[in-house]
Amino acid sequence: MLTVFEKSIGKPPQELSLPLAGSSGLKNTRQEIAEIFRSWRSDSTFYNFRNGNFLALSREDQNPVHPRSIVVMDDIFCIFSGVLDNTCDLRRYYGLSRQATEAMIIIEAYKVLRDRAPYPPDQVIKELEGKFAFILFDSKASVLLLARDRDGSVQLHWGTAADGSLVCSDNPNLISAACGKCYTPFPPGCIFMSGTGLICFDHPLHKVRAIAREDDEGNTGAVIFQVDLFTRFPSIPRTGSAANWAGATAVEGE
C-alpha cells in the first residue's frame, strides 16, 4: 500500500526530513512516486484526489496472515493491513453487522472520534486488539489518520517527498526509492492525525520524541520516534476545546 498527501494535509513532523540536511539524498515528487509504484505493482489500484494526492493498493506479495483491504464509505477511505482479534466485540460496540470488515470498523471508530470532538483519539484506538496498521483519509474534512499496533507486527513506514508531502507505505524498499533517506518506521503503538500530531495511544500524556542517529561525521543518517516515558504533558481534563487537545498531543522535536 502507498499513500502520498501534500504537506498542508499530511503535516509530517519536520524531523522526518533531517537525514536530508547536508546530503544529496534522492527524493521524488508525488507524480514520480506514483509512477514508481505503478512500475513495481502492475495490479495496483489508485484513488486520486485533488492536487496530486492519492492512495494506492496492491495485493501482490501480501502476507496471507496480514491481508490488505480498502473500504470507502461516506467519502472516507481506509486501507487496512492485518487482523483485529476483537472484531466481534467491536462490531457490537459500534452497532455493525456481522459482515463488517476491519476497515469498516476503523471508519466507524473514526466517525465516533470526529463526531464527538474533542474526544481524544487515544481513547478510540487503544480499544483495537490485534496485529494491524491502517491509513485513513477523510476526503471531505482533509483529515489523515495513521496507526500501528503495539508490537509493530505489521510494517508501516513514513517519510517525506521532495515537496514535503507525507509518504506512507508498508514496503520499505518502495518508500526508500520514493523518499531516499528521509523515511523511518512508523512507531508501534502510536497514532498520527493531521492537525493533532503523533501520540502513543497507551501513554497519551508522554511525548513521542524524534531521536536522530548520526554518523562519524556528525551527519544525521536516520531518525526514529520513541515514547519518552520520563516526560509527561501537564494533565488536562478531558473537556474543553479541540485546540487544547491538539496542543497536548502534538509531537515536539527537540
Side-chain angles (χ1 to χ4, degrees):
M1 61 184 179
L2 173 69
T3 65
V4 182
F5 288 96
E6 61 189 313
K7 190 174 183 179
S8 62
I9 294 176
K11 299 180 175 64
Q14 62 182 7
E15 294 87 355
L16 280 177
S17 296
L18 283 179
L20 189 64
S23 73
S24 57
L26 175 65
K27 296 175 74 175
N28 294 279
T29 65
R30 277 172 277 168
Q31 293 75 18
E32 290 170 338
I33 293 171
E35 290 305 316
I36 291 173
F37 192 67
R38 286 191 180 96
S39 67
W40 285 29
R41 297 289 184 262
S42 58
D43 69 327
S44 58
T45 301
F46 276 73
Y47 299 82
N48 296 298
F49 308 100
R50 290 179 297 178
N51 299 330
N53 302 303
F54 67 87
L55 299 93
L57 179 68
S58 168
R59 290 184 172 83
E60 185 177 336
D61 297 333
Q62 75 174 355
N63 186 334
V65 180
H66 304 145
R68 306 184 192 108
S69 63
I70 186 167
V71 168
V72 183
M73 297 171 57
D74 302 326
D75 297 311
I76 301 172
F77 297 73
C78 180
I79 299 180
F80 185 93
S81 179
V83 176
L84 293 177
D85 295 334
N86 59 336
T87 300
C88 293
D89 293 338
L90 292 169
R91 285 172 181 156
R92 285 194 295 269
Y93 181 80
Y94 291 111
L96 300 173
S97 70
R98 294 180 180 179
Q99 288 72 41
T101 65
E102 282 96 341
M104 293 177 182
I105 292 171
I106 298 301
I107 289 178
E108 198 64 31
Y110 165 75
K111 288 181 178 179
V112 169
L113 173 62
R114 178 194 64 188
D115 298 340
R116 295 182 185 177
Y119 198 71
D122 59 278
Q123 294 298 302
V124 174
I125 305 302
K126 75 177 185 179
E127 299 301 325
L128 305 178
E129 299 176 4
K131 300 178 179 180
F132 64 86
F134 69 80
I135 302 171
L136 179 147
F137 179 60
D138 183 342
S139 61
K140 283 187 176 179
S142 294
V143 171
L144 184 65
L145 174 64
L146 319 174
R148 192 180 184 197
D149 72 77
R150 295 169 175 85
D151 298 324
S153 306
V154 178
Q155 291 206 58
L156 182 62
H157 302 262
W158 61 343
T160 54
D163 61 356
S165 297
L166 179 64
V167 183
C168 302
S169 177
D170 60 351
N171 187 322
N173 295 323
L174 173 63
I175 200 166
S176 175
C179 303
K181 294 182 179 180
C182 296
Y183 79 96
T184 191
F186 189 83
C190 289
I191 55 179
F192 177 82
M193 195 169 183
S194 53
T196 300
L198 180 65
I199 64 173
C200 173
F201 50 77
D202 283 331
H203 305 284
L205 292 181
H206 291 270
K207 291 183 179 181
V208 182
R209 293 186 180 276
I211 301 174
R213 294 180 174 176
E214 298 181 347
D215 58 24
D216 294 338
E217 298 179 354
N219 298 317
T220 301
V223 173
I224 60 172
F225 291 87
Q226 291 184 344
V227 180
D228 183 355
L229 296 178
F230 298 98
T231 304
R232 287 174 58 92
F233 290 109
S235 180
I236 300 177
R238 303 218 162 188
T239 58
S241 69
N244 286 340
W245 277 108
T249 57
V251 66
E252 297 183 8
E254 298 182 5

